[in-house]
């Protein structure tokens, strides 16, 4: 067991960027908080436990990614209900608002970190896991503040936020979130250092297959990817910060189905995403948003420690490869529907079917489902997506 835990810890911290990037003091503070396992009820869980640099700031344990894809918290018998999203490249997400056609902004898959309290969704999102009983599970903000203010970096906290930074719990807690957000916006986390960035800056060339994938990605009649994953400009974020129901099936291996203390609905539980959050705050038109999840950045979508490492895709981690999720985008409405809505991805691929959407309402049928892409065109899109991993070194 000890060997397993050491292996997991090594994986979590593998690829941590060096401080040589000259972080600002607030960014250094945010980094210290981000990697501090003592900010959890059992002193064993940090932000990095679910958002590791070696895998593009998302889930670093391949065994979890291969199955339920959600992660345990500080109390190891408690699991969340969604796959950890990346914390990189989210700093431009605005305070959640409705523009007359779509909801835009906020953080978390369901947008519940609206940003309305702090004026910054990223900072609000950073505070959520500390008090979530399924994550870091501390009982209240005072516990978080006490641990930060008694940490080895407490002097840095006071240098950044003032000598009285620890005297008011509410203010100190908010500043902890702001510090983490500053680190997540830093050049150490949101690096813009992929092969595609080098290509945009004239320092690398894409292969013929990668160029074909880029062309398809941006083709509004073929791949249609850039309709939501915007690729314009020299530093594209590959997201428009909106929400969409892709018709993703249930992940039958999600451990949240089997946690009666936290999920009394059991197998009947449905993840309604943005719509569920809007319903909880009394938004009258919530039904139009049921099943919609935040459009993620595609940056680092293939970043992994090695070629055999399994990453998961989709808000619930149903898909286990880029090839699979691209095929789903292409064929969701073409293949037969699997008889069992709890069919795993592996079984669906072997049977040549896709299960029914977890939420049947509001499924996007205009931009995916029957794209008519050939196998070669799917492979080209995957090849392009693999150019978005940070850490690329141009050839001299």
């Amino acid at each position: 067991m000890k060997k397993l835990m050491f292996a997991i810890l090594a994986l979590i911290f593998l690829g941590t960027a060096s401080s040589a990037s000259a972080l600002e003091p607030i960014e250094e503070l945010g980094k210290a908080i981000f990697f501090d396992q003592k900010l959890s009820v059992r002193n064993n869980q940090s932000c990095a436990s679910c958002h590791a640099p070696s895998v593009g700031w998302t889930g670093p344990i391949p065994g979890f990614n291969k199955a339920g894809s959600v992660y345990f918290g500080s109390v190891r018998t408690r699991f969340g209900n969604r796959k950890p999203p990346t914390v990189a490249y989210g700093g431009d997400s605005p305070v959640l608002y409705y523009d007359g056609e779509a909801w835009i902004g906020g953080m978390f898959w369901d947008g519940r970190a609206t940003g309305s309290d702090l004026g910054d969704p990223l900072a609000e999102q950073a505070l959520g896991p500390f008090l979530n009983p399924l994550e870091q599970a501390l009982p209240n903000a005072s516990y978080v503040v006490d641990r930060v203010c008694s940490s080895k970096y407490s002097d840095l906290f006071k240098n950044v936020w003032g000598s009285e930074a620890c005297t008011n719990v509410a203010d100190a807690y908010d500043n902890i979130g702001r510090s983490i957000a500053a680190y997540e916006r830093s050049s150490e986390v949101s690096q813009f250092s992929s092969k595609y960035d080098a290509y945009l800056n004239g320092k690398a060339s894409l292969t013929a297959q990668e160029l074909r994938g880029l062309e398809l990605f941006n083709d509004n009649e073929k791949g249609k990817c850039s309709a939501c994953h915007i690729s314009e400009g020299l530093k594209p974020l590959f997201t428009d910060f909106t929400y969409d129901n892709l018709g993703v099936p249930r992940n039958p291996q999600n451990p949240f189905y089997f946690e009666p203390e936290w999920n009394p609905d059991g197998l009947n539980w449905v993840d309604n995403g943005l719509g569920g959050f809007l319903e909880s705050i009394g938004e009258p038109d919530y039904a139009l948003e049921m099943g919609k999840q935040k459009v993620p950045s595609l940056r680092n979508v293939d970043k992994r420690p090695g070629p055999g490492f399994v990453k998961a895709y989709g808000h619930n981690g149903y898909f286990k490869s880029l090839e699979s999720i691209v095929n789903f985008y292409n064929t969701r409405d073409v293949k037969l529907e699997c008889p069992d809505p709890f069919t795993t991805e592996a079984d669906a691929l072997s049977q040549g079917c896709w299960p029914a959407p977890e939420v049947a309402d509001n499924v996007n049928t205009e931009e995916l489902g029957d794209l008519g892409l050939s196998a070669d065109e799917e492979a080209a899109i995957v090849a392009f997506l693999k150019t978005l991993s940070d850490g690329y070194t141009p050839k001299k």
Side-chain angles (χ1 to χ4, degrees):
M1 181 60 71
K2 285 185 177 179
K3 289 183 178 179
L4 174 62
M5 289 308 298
F6 281 129
I8 290 173
L9 289 172
L11 181 59
I12 287 172
F13 290 100
L14 180 67
T16 303
S18 168
S19 296
S21 55
L23 296 176
E24 297 292 329
I26 189 174
E27 296 169 346
E28 285 284 7
L29 173 62
K31 180 178 182 178
I33 297 170
F34 189 90
F35 285 95
D36 189 353
Q37 293 187 342
K38 293 181 179 179
L39 301 181
S40 61
V41 70
R42 295 187 176 175
N43 302 304
N44 60 352
Q45 186 95 356
S46 71
C47 304
S49 297
C50 295
H51 304 281
S54 62
V55 287
W57 306 94
T58 182
I61 304 176
F64 288 1
N65 300 342
K66 291 177 183 178
S69 303
V70 301
Y71 278 61
F72 54 42
S74 182
V75 180
R76 296 312 199 201
T77 56
R78 301 177 186 174
F79 286 77
N81 58 12
R82 298 185 181 112
K83 181 187 81 71
T86 180
V87 299
Y89 298 105
D92 287 343
S93 188
V95 174
L96 184 68
Y97 72 100
Y98 185 68
D99 73 349
E101 296 184 359
W103 288 88
I104 303 172
M107 292 296 290
F108 289 119
W109 285 106
D110 62 3
R112 67 186 185 277
T114 64
S116 59
D117 290 338
L118 299 183
D120 182 358
L122 193 63
E124 287 186 19
Q125 182 278 328
L127 294 174
F130 292 127
L131 308 186
N132 188 329
L134 305 183
E135 297 185 68
Q136 286 160 274
L138 288 170
N140 55 52
S142 180
Y143 275 76
V144 184
V145 172
D146 285 347
R147 295 190 182 196
V148 168
C149 290
S150 61
S151 69
K152 62 183 180 181
Y153 51 86
S154 61
D155 287 344
L156 179 58
F157 187 74
K158 293 173 184 177
N159 288 339
V160 170
W161 295 108
S163 59
E164 303 297 315
C166 294
T167 58
N168 183 291
V169 169
D171 290 344
Y173 191 59
D174 289 346
N175 288 336
I176 288 170
R178 293 185 178 105
S179 302
I180 296 172
Y183 175 59
E184 292 173 344
R185 288 187 171 97
S186 75
S187 60
E188 189 168 295
V189 179
S190 300
Q191 296 181 2
F192 296 97
S193 63
S194 69
K195 181 180 181 180
Y196 185 62
D197 292 300
Y199 165 76
L200 292 177
N201 288 292
K203 296 179 180 180
S205 298
L206 300 184
T207 67
Q209 186 185 42
E210 292 164 351
L211 285 169
R212 178 58 175 148
L214 172 60
E215 179 184 6
L216 290 164
F217 187 96
N218 289 328
D219 191 329
N220 292 328
E221 300 298 325
K222 294 285 286 184
K224 303 182 180 180
C225 311
S226 62
C228 297
H229 300 283
I230 297 175
S231 59
E232 297 175 351
L234 284 177
K235 288 189 173 183
L237 297 173
F238 291 96
T239 178
D240 61 1
F241 302 115
T242 62
Y243 296 77
D244 212 344
N245 183 0
L246 306 178
V248 174
R250 298 169 181 265
N251 184 346
Q253 297 173 297
N254 188 341
F256 190 69
Y257 286 124
F258 311 103
E259 295 186 278
E261 182 179 0
W262 310 103
N263 173 26
D265 293 332
L267 291 173
N268 293 319
W269 173 74
V270 174
D271 186 349
N272 285 310
L274 175 66
F277 165 65
L278 293 177
E279 181 182 17
S280 73
I281 62 172
E283 179 63 38
D285 293 328
Y286 69 87
L288 299 175
E289 312 303 325
M290 285 296 190
K292 295 184 180 181
Q293 306 284 348
K294 184 85 176 284
V295 174
S297 170
L298 295 182
R299 284 185 170 274
N300 290 318
V301 71
D302 190 58
K303 188 172 179 62
R304 62 189 77 215
F309 184 95
V310 174
K311 293 187 73 170
Y313 301 97
H315 70 279
N316 61 9
Y318 181 83
F319 305 98
K320 309 305 179 184
S321 70
L322 284 176
E323 289 80 3
S324 174
I325 193 169
V326 169
N327 180 254
F328 176 79
Y329 270 59
N330 185 29
T331 66
R332 183 198 63 200
D333 301 337
V334 177
K335 291 183 179 181
L336 295 175
E337 184 174 298
C338 302
D340 183 358
F342 283 91
T343 302
T344 66
E345 180 221 36
D347 288 341
L349 291 172
S350 67
Q351 296 170 25
C353 62
W354 290 117
E358 179 175 12
V359 179
D361 295 335
N362 311 310
V363 173
N364 185 339
T365 58
E366 295 182 2
E367 294 161 333
L368 71 155
D370 184 9
L371 298 178
L373 299 173
S374 68
D376 286 345
E377 288 173 327
E378 286 186 17
I381 292 175
V382 170
F384 168 66
L385 293 174
K386 291 182 177 182
T387 70
L388 302 180
S389 297
D390 284 332
Y392 175 77
T393 302
K395 296 179 180 179
K396 295 182 180 180

